């Protein structure tokens, strides 16, 4: 194939301009969708920022210019991944999750496939088009042949530098705003307890991107990537202040004494929105069993609970419920810190020694270090769906089969026992393929909403069968059942509150105030009558409610996770 003479003479320049404009278009599209707006300012900004990131190209010679493809594919994959992540979570994807890619499983893969939209393929297809130039001998020769004069290289480098300085100037006010928020948080902490903050606000990466732009955002991302697994030794004064804080926190909790020989079954329900409890569709209750539990005598319920998960999603919820600490805002706490978690007193370890602790997962148990984390939490016996999928006969859903197996285990275990069950079927996209029957079939609601309603109703129905089985086995009266959402259904940003129900306790309480997810751990300790110096970083729902800065709880939890406090 013969190229036009102008392209033959200036192949490298033409290719450089095409790459610059293509990558600017990628950034412009990303800006527009993630910020929900397009403007001339964003267009000019995109051109300027890519020009700065791309300037090393003009110093490359010959075949070394193929190194440009590293830049092209790195940014294209980053934008492609973030478009999917942003659409689901409403924030930027931490770079740390690329390091955690090996933890992906079939459930996550299905969620990603359902989240991808046609516009997302522009990133990969445009990168493929830029790559194809190097597969054409004539085009490759033209790109490699042109030589850039030194003066041109220096001029373009100077322009890139000026562009970068202009970006810093344009975002100086926004940088100050973010910095002021960080300083404010530090002042809040240092006024009472000088505990390390570890870039708490910088780690809220969508904020840094919106205020600082992609270049400076990536700098902060790389900095936080280095911090994500960092640990440290507490100096004496900081150790003392942390101990004083936790002691004061413990004093403010409930003085609650309940029997400590009751069985405990803790079900962590995937993506359970609080508004499902009590909801009706077409006059039919979505969750009649959980409605009854929440309203019954001896139940503690909170239907205004704020989710506090981070990048770890479900495993962050598991971390909070088992250890009583908030996840790190950067990194995936129960994955990054698995070797250190054994030092923090967990719920299984705080139960009396006669308790047998088991964990049962409705999925395969792989991904996000769950198996390793649960060993550290103190669950010596774990069962994934590999242990009971042979029992599938087409009459039970995914969660129904898990609850059926859990009932068998509950009938066999010596009392007292503790079981933690993890459901899965309500995870986006709420696959109804395994459901025996569909409770709701309506055209008046979006298909995705109907799938979620059916998966929720099916779990509730199987929960009722599970409870009936415990009653028939004579084990319900001596069992406390705790149900808590791992997080809300992330696709609906207007449904942010999650649910907590503890049934068959010696307390009847419906908490009307807003509580936090971190409050579940000390509440369960109180319900089970467990006396411990370690009660997590939250406040028991059975004790006096008092305000607490979330930033302060984050800093305390981060210090505990990263330090040798319990060693």
């Amino acid at each position: 194939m013969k190229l036009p003479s102008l392209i033959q003479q200036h192949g490298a320049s033409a290719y450089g301009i095409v790459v610059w404009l293509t990558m600017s278009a990628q950034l412009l599209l990303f800006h527009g969708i993630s910020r929900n707006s397009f403007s001339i300012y964003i267009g000019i900004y995109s051109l300027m920022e890519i020009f700065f990131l791309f300037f090393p190209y003009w110093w490359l010679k010959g075949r070394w210019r193929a190194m440009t493809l590293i830049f092209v594919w790195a940014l294209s994959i980053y934008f492609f991944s973030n478009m999917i992540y942003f659409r689901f979570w409403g924030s930027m994807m931490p770079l740390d999750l690329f390091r955690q890619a090996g933890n992906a499983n079939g459930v996550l893969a299905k969620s990603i496939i359902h989240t991808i939209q046609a516009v997302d393929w522009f990133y990969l297809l445009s990168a493929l088009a830029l790559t194809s130039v190097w597969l054409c001998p004539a085009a490759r020769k033209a790109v490699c042949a042109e030589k850039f004069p030194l003066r041109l290289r220096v001029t373009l480098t100077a322009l890139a530098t000026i562009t970068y300085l202009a970006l810093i100037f344009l975002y100086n006010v926004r940088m100050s705003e973010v910095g002021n928020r960080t300083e404010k948080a530090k002042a809040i902490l240092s006024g009472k307890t000088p505990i390390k903050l570890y870039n708490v606000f910088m780690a809220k990466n969508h904020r840094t991107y919106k205020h600082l732009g992609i270049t400076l955002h990536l700098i902060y991302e790389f900095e936080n990537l280095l911090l994500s697994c960092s640990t440290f030794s507490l100096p004496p004064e900081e150790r003392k202040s942390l101990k004083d804080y936790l002691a004061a926190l413990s004093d403010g909790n409930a003085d609650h004494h309940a029997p400590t020989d009751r069985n405990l079954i803790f079900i962590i329900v995937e993506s359970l929105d609080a508004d499902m409890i009590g909801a009706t569709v077409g006059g039919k209750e979505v969750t009649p069993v959980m409605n009854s539990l929440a309203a019954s005598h001896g139940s503690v319920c909170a239907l205004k609970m704020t989710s506090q998960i981070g990048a770890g999603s479900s495993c962050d919820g598991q971390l909070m419920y088992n250890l009583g600490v908030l996840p790190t805002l950067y990194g995936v706490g129960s994955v990054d810190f698995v070797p250190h978690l054994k030092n923090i007193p967990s719920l299984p370890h705080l139960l009396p020694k006669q308790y047998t602790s088991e964990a049962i997962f409705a999925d395969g148990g792989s991904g996000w270090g769950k198996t390793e984390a649960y060993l550290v939490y103190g669950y010596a016996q774990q069962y994934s769906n590999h242990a009971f999928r042979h029992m599938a006969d087409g009459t039970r859903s995914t969660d129904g089969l898990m609850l059926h197996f859990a009932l068998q285990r509950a009938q066999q275990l010596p009392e007292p026992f503790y079981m933690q069950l993890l459901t899965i079927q309500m995870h986006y996209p709420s696959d109804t393929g395994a459901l025996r029957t569909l409770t709701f079939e309506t055209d008046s609601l979006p298909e995705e909403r109907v799938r979620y309603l059916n998966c929720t109703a099916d779990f509730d129905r199987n929960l009722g069968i599970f409870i009936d089985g415990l009653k028939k086995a004579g084990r319900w009266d001596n069992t406390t059942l705790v149900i808590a959402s791992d997080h809300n259904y992330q696709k609906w940003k207007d449904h942010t509150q999650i649910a907590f129900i503890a049934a068959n306790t010696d307390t009847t309480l419906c908490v009307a105030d807003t509580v936090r997810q971190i409050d579940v751990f000390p509440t369960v300790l109180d319900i089970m009558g467990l006396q411990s110096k370690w009660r997590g970083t939250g406040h028991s729902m059975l004790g006096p409610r008092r305000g607490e800065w979330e930033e302060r709880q984050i800093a305390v939890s981060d210090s505990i996770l990263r330090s040798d406090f319990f060693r």
Side-chain angles (χ1 to χ4, degrees):
M1 183 179 73
K2 188 174 182 180
L3 299 175
S5 58
L6 185 63
I7 298 297
Q8 292 183 30
Q9 295 174 16
H10 303 285
S13 298
Y15 184 69
I17 292 172
V18 170
V19 172
W20 173 43
L21 293 176
T22 301
M23 302 312 293
S24 296
Q26 286 193 8
L27 181 57
L28 174 61
L29 178 63
F30 185 73
H31 275 316
I33 293 179
S34 62
R35 298 183 182 210
N36 198 29
S37 65
F38 290 92
S39 67
I40 295 176
Y41 167 77
I42 290 177
I44 294 174
Y45 164 76
S46 300
L47 288 168
M48 292 172 64
E49 193 156 31
I50 292 297
F51 184 70
F52 165 70
L53 291 172
F54 189 58
F55 85 88
Y57 169 79
W58 309 107
W59 291 89
L60 297 174
K61 299 179 180 180
R63 292 184 179 273
W64 284 101
R65 288 169 184 156
M67 297 287 287
T68 306
L69 295 179
I70 298 176
F71 166 80
V72 167
W73 279 102
L75 270 188
S76 297
I77 292 173
Y78 181 75
F79 289 144
F80 178 78
S81 303
N82 268 280
M83 286 289 281
I84 298 169
Y85 190 88
F86 181 85
R87 193 172 290 124
F88 192 83
W89 292 101
S91 64
M92 297 284 284
M93 178 177 174
L95 283 179
D96 185 66
L97 284 186
F98 286 100
R99 184 171 62 85
Q100 306 285 357
N103 287 302
N105 53 26
V107 175
L108 180 61
K110 187 179 292 185
S111 297
I112 292 172
I113 291 171
H114 277 78
T115 307
I116 294 175
Q117 296 182 5
V119 68
D120 302 337
W121 295 111
F122 167 71
Y123 296 103
L124 301 185
L125 292 176
S126 59
L128 190 62
L130 293 173
T131 303
S132 66
V133 171
W134 294 92
L135 302 178
C136 174
R140 182 170 63 244
K141 181 179 179 181
V143 173
C144 294
E146 184 182 3
K147 296 181 179 179
F148 298 130
L150 179 60
R151 179 178 294 179
L152 177 62
R153 295 177 183 179
V154 172
T155 300
L156 291 174
T157 302
L159 285 174
T161 304
I162 293 172
T163 299
Y164 178 67
L165 293 175
L167 288 173
I168 294 177
F169 175 76
L170 288 171
Y171 284 100
N172 184 59
V173 174
R174 294 176 173 87
M175 288 173 66
S176 298
E177 181 182 345
V178 175
N180 288 336
R181 290 176 180 172
T182 303
E183 291 303 317
K184 179 181 177 182
K186 289 180 178 178
I188 290 169
L189 291 169
S190 61
K192 298 179 181 179
T193 306
I195 297 167
K196 292 182 182 295
L197 188 61
Y198 285 96
N199 283 341
V200 165
F201 277 84
M202 287 298 146
K204 291 187 176 179
N205 50 15
H206 187 53
R207 179 185 295 169
T208 61
Y209 158 69
K210 290 185 71 174
H211 287 285
L212 306 179
I214 198 70
T215 305
L216 296 177
H217 168 74
L218 285 172
I219 292 173
Y220 280 115
E221 281 285 280
F222 279 111
E223 177 189 355
N224 285 330
L225 184 61
L226 296 175
L227 287 173
S228 63
C229 294
S230 63
T231 57
F232 64 96
S233 296
L234 282 169
E237 66 278 6
E238 203 162 311
R239 181 179 295 275
K240 182 179 183 304
S241 66
L242 195 53
K243 283 184 177 180
D244 291 343
Y245 171 82
L246 293 174
L249 195 65
S250 180
D251 291 341
N253 278 293
D255 183 16
H256 191 78
H257 300 282
T260 56
D261 60 349
R262 296 178 60 81
N263 305 320
L264 174 62
I265 299 177
F266 193 145
I267 306 179
I268 301 179
V269 185
E270 173 68 43
S271 304
L272 175 62
D273 283 344
D275 61 3
M276 289 294 98
I277 312 301
T280 60
V281 176
K284 186 184 298 184
E285 290 181 294
V286 179
T287 59
V289 175
M290 286 190 280
N291 295 347
S292 177
L293 290 176
S296 64
H297 178 77
S299 286
V300 177
C301 72
L303 302 180
K304 293 181 180 180
M305 187 162 72
T306 302
S307 175
Q308 294 178 288
I309 61 166
S313 188
S314 295
C315 66
D316 284 345
Q318 297 152 21
L319 177 80
M320 284 184 270
Y321 294 152
N322 282 290
L323 296 183
V325 292
L326 287 167
T328 55
L329 278 183
Y330 203 91
V332 184
S334 58
V335 176
D336 289 338
F337 299 102
V338 163
H340 311 295
L341 299 182
K342 65 179 181 294
N343 303 303
I344 305 174
S346 66
L347 185 54
H349 289 141
L350 292 175
L351 287 165
K353 292 184 179 179
Q354 67 265 31
Y355 275 78
T356 301
S357 297
E358 294 190 353
I360 304 177
F361 314 134
D363 64 3
S366 61
W368 308 110
K370 183 162 60 179
T371 301
E372 295 81 0
Y374 268 76
L375 281 174
V376 175
Y377 294 155
Y379 299 89
Q381 187 64 59
Q382 300 178 32
Y383 298 96
S384 69
N385 63 9
H386 299 291
F388 48 83
R389 61 186 177 187
H390 67 279
M391 300 163 60
D393 57 4
T395 64
R396 298 184 182 91
S397 62
T398 305
D399 289 348
L401 189 61
M402 183 269 290
L403 286 169
H404 178 69
F405 177 76
L407 178 60
Q408 291 186 352
R409 293 298 303 156
Q411 293 169 341
Q412 297 167 2
L413 286 171
E415 298 184 281
F417 62 81
Y418 168 44
M419 298 173 63
Q420 188 165 107
L421 315 179
L422 276 64
T423 75
I424 193 62
Q425 69 187 26
M426 288 151 63
H427 190 290
Y428 178 79
S430 303
D431 188 2
T432 57
L435 303 189
R436 186 182 68 178
T437 58
L438 298 180
T439 306
F440 302 101
E441 296 184 80
T442 175
D443 295 330
S444 62
L445 294 172
E447 179 187 354
E448 181 182 323
R449 182 74 170 176
V450 175
R451 290 200 309 266
Y452 177 76
L453 288 170
N454 278 304
C455 285
T456 305
D458 178 84
F459 163 74
D460 186 78
R461 182 179 64 83
N462 281 286
L463 176 65
I465 296 172
F466 177 72
I467 293 173
D468 288 341
L470 291 174
K471 290 177 179 178
K472 290 178 183 178
R475 298 215 157 181
W476 173 251
D477 291 340
N478 194 43
T479 297
T480 293
L481 175 66
V482 174
I483 299 170
S485 319
D486 60 350
H487 54 74
N488 60 312
Y489 194 77
Q490 295 293 322
K491 286 286 286 182
W492 301 318
K493 305 308 176 187
D494 56 335
H495 299 263
T496 57
Q497 293 182 319
I498 57 178
F500 171 84
I501 302 172
N504 236 14
T505 77
D506 67 346
T507 301
T508 302
L509 175 67
C510 184
V511 182
D513 297 333
T514 299
V515 299
R516 293 175 181 159
Q517 199 168 6
I518 197 65
D519 296 333
V520 169
F521 183 82
T523 302
V524 173
L525 295 186
D526 280 346
I527 287 172
M528 296 302 294
L530 300 175
Q531 304 300 310
S532 171
K533 292 182 178 179
W534 171 246
R535 299 179 58 81
T537 60
H539 297 274
S540 172
M541 300 176 204
L542 304 187
R545 304 302 303 157
R546 60 181 188 182
E548 179 69 67
W549 286 97
E550 187 177 24
E551 292 85 357
R552 190 170 161 84
Q553 290 179 323
I554 292 170
V556 170
S557 296
D558 206 67
S559 291
I560 290 171
L561 279 172
R562 297 185 188 278
S563 76
D564 56 353
F565 180 74
F566 279 111
R567 287 177 229 171

